[in-house]
Amino acid sequence: NDNDDMMDLSVSRLKSRIQWSVTAPNDAEHGVYVWLDALTNYLTSAGYGSSDTTRLERCWPPKYQIIGKDILRFHAVYWPAFLMGADLALPERVVAHGYWTVDARKMGKSLGNAVSAQGVLQRFGSDRVRYYMLRNSMLGEDRQFSTDELVAQSNADLANTLGNLLSRVCTRRFMAKDE
């Protein structure tokens, strides 16, 4: 077994050393990482522990776990250790994405710089927003979000370049059978 040489991972710490925890049974000075509880929600949502194993067999293990880069350690170290401890299969791949930033800072409600996804979608439409986001992001890298850039780029790429090509290809004089 390849896992025989691995060290155990303690799921508890002194409460003074971790900000978020669940008080350990019989020891109020120690806390259990909330990640242990949070990550096991993946299993229960996939049907783990249910008498009907159909969903679990269909959903587990996941082919990909797509996560924010700030929680990579929990998904690439702790979560696999928990799964190995339970003798369960690991996800095939963990993919960490970067952040969309505003003014070079991670976008977030608590920072007050969050962009309303619904507002952007209502204003520009899902195809235009999807194109902008896919065109401007690289997996794992942070990327600045700007509605001005969204407008300029989608106008240049979609309306002007592709629109011009479509217009030329579909114009009747190019499609005439007699010429």
Side-chain angles (χ1 to χ4, degrees):
N1 183 348
D2 293 335
N3 300 332
D4 290 340
D5 295 332
M6 297 188 83
M7 303 291 289
D8 287 341
L9 172 69
S10 174
V11 297
S12 67
R13 296 281 187 275
L14 284 170
K15 288 188 91 168
S16 61
R17 293 187 57 210
I18 54 177
Q19 183 178 4
W20 297 97
S21 67
V22 176
T23 302
N26 303 319
D27 189 349
E29 292 184 20
H30 281 80
V32 177
Y33 278 122
V34 292
W35 281 98
L36 177 61
D37 180 53
L39 292 169
T40 56
N41 285 325
Y42 295 137
L43 285 171
T44 56
S45 67
Y48 184 79
S50 172
S51 58
D52 180 3
T53 61
T54 308
R55 183 177 178 143
L56 183 63
E57 291 166 1
R58 185 177 41 116
C59 297
W60 201 265
K63 292 205 177 294
Y64 296 94
Q65 276 193 296
I66 301 173
I67 59 166
K69 67 181 183 177
D70 59 336
I71 58 173
L72 180 60
R73 177 177 45 151
F74 300 101
H75 285 264
V77 176
Y78 298 170
W79 182 227
F82 300 158
L83 291 171
M84 287 188 280
D87 214 18
L88 293 169
L90 303 179
E92 292 181 26
R93 294 188 191 271
V94 176
V95 179
H97 62 75
Y99 302 124
W100 283 92
T101 61
V102 174
D103 299 326
R105 293 176 62 202
K106 178 183 170 186
M107 193 183 303
K109 290 184 283 186
S110 61
L111 296 174
N113 67 348
V115 174
S116 166
Q118 289 293 19
V120 171
L121 288 171
Q122 286 173 353
R123 181 173 172 196
F124 300 108
S126 62
D127 289 338
R128 198 170 174 186
V129 172
R130 186 180 300 121
Y131 175 80
Y132 171 77
M133 296 187 88
L134 290 172
R135 169 82 165 72
N136 290 295
S137 62
M138 288 188 54
L139 190 58
E141 300 293 323
D142 293 348
R143 180 63 168 94
Q144 176 74 16
F145 179 84
S146 162
T147 54
D148 291 341
E149 187 179 80
L150 186 155
V151 170
Q153 187 172 55
S154 60
N155 283 345
D157 292 357
L158 298 176
N160 298 346
T161 304
L162 292 177
N164 188 21
L165 175 64
L166 186 62
S167 176
R168 290 173 185 261
V169 169
C170 295
T171 300
R172 292 186 68 75
R173 68 183 170 144
F174 289 113
M175 297 175 29
K177 294 180 181 178
D178 299 338
E179 294 180 30

